[in-house]
Amino acid sequence: MEAIEELAVQPCTSSLYLRPFRLSYRQNGTKKFWDFMRTHDSVSILIFNTSRQCFVVVKQFRPAVYMCEVERHHPQAFQNQDKESFPSLENPLPAVVGVTYELCAGIVDKPGLSLEEIACEEVLEECGYRVSIADLRRITSYRSGVGVTGSRQTLFYAEVNDQMRTSGGGGQPEEGELIEVVEIPLGESMKFAYDETFPKTMGVIFSFTWFHNNIAPKLPKK
């Protein structure tokens, strides 16, 4: 996962996932504009393994996170952003600065499938557990990237056990996915959530907190 090499930044003139636009509008009599991206909505799933009393999350390299760290350490990396090409990155940072812990998730890009069906597919592909729609509990939906994309993410909760695991997960290599499945013990989950040495998404922090408020009080006492 962390064997990253031959890094080069270049302009993105077309994408299957992002479309840049500029909205011009008048608000309270003042003329304004705002640049934004259109992208897919998504689903995410908080997975709790009842056999071992742990959360199942994923760990993967995120180029956008990596490049934010590159720019923070090497501001000159984006100085040529208005030109046709960028120089190759010399002395790149270690790939670990772009690795994040996240909930199992996926984009909504299959019109024939419901959000629940897409969530079930993601749990199987990324984490190796076979769940059904009946195993899912919808927690809520919310907007992410409100300043840039405004896309909607729907969050589900699923309880699994060791018997439901059919593979090691890891995503779909043919689509370029390289995912590591990570288990976070229940007793250590809130410490993990707020430990900044483990880069993570807000979804992890929110969903762990939701679990402790709504599910943990109902668990059998040891």
Side-chain angles (χ1 to χ4, degrees):
M1 179 182 295
E2 297 177 9
I4 306 296
E5 55 188 358
E6 298 182 10
L7 290 91
V9 181
Q10 56 190 8
C12 179
T13 57
S14 63
S15 171
L16 295 174
Y17 307 104
L18 301 172
R19 290 175 294 154
F21 294 95
R22 173 168 291 180
L23 175 68
S24 298
Y25 61 103
R26 187 176 297 277
Q27 184 179 29
N28 290 352
T30 301
K31 187 69 175 178
K32 298 181 179 181
F33 70 88
W34 193 268
D35 298 336
F36 66 98
M37 290 276 191
R38 286 298 305 125
T39 187
H40 295 286
D41 289 340
S42 61
V43 297
S44 60
I45 310 94
L46 172 63
I47 304 171
F48 183 67
N49 185 313
T50 58
S51 299
R52 290 195 298 284
Q53 296 289 289
C54 67
F55 296 106
V56 181
V57 300
V58 296
K59 179 182 175 183
Q60 55 187 319
F61 175 79
R62 290 297 195 181
V65 174
Y66 180 84
M67 291 309 299
C68 282
E69 289 299 305
V70 168
E71 185 175 20
R72 187 164 69 89
H73 288 82
H74 305 291
Q76 70 278 9
F78 287 93
Q79 287 181 351
N80 295 326
Q81 58 183 324
D82 295 325
K83 298 182 179 180
E84 291 296 321
S85 62
F86 294 70
S88 297
L89 298 178
E90 298 181 1
N91 302 316
L93 299 176
V96 68
V97 303
V99 174
T100 60
Y101 294 83
E102 310 169 16
L103 296 179
C104 172
I107 60 175
V108 177
D109 61 347
K110 299 173 182 176
L113 298 183
S114 66
L115 296 180
E116 290 79 5
E117 289 171 321
I118 293 175
C120 290
E121 284 191 354
E122 294 298 334
V123 173
L124 180 61
E125 293 172 3
E126 293 191 358
C127 300
Y129 292 92
R130 188 175 297 281
V131 300
S132 67
I133 292 177
D135 296 319
L136 296 177
R137 171 177 173 178
R138 181 177 175 136
I139 298 176
T140 190
S141 65
Y142 45 83
R143 295 291 179 175
S144 60
V146 293
V148 180
T149 68
S151 60
R152 181 189 297 274
Q153 183 166 93
T154 302
L155 173 62
F156 295 96
Y157 170 64
E159 290 185 357
V160 301
N161 56 51
D162 288 346
Q163 288 67 45
M164 296 168 68
R165 194 167 194 185
T166 61
S167 73
Q172 297 181 299
E174 66 274 14
E175 294 184 4
E177 293 183 323
L178 182 59
I179 296 171
E180 179 181 339
V181 180
V182 180
E183 295 182 345
I184 309 297
L186 175 59
E188 302 173 13
S189 58
M190 292 313 297
K191 179 181 178 181
F192 171 84
Y194 289 99
D195 187 341
E196 294 184 11
T197 63
F198 295 100
K200 64 189 70 67
T201 62
M202 189 61 197
V204 172
I205 300 173
F206 170 77
S207 61
F208 281 14
T209 302
W210 174 88
F211 182 95
H212 280 273
N213 289 337
N214 295 274
I215 304 298
K218 303 174 185 176
L219 294 176
K221 302 297 183 182
K222 292 187 178 179

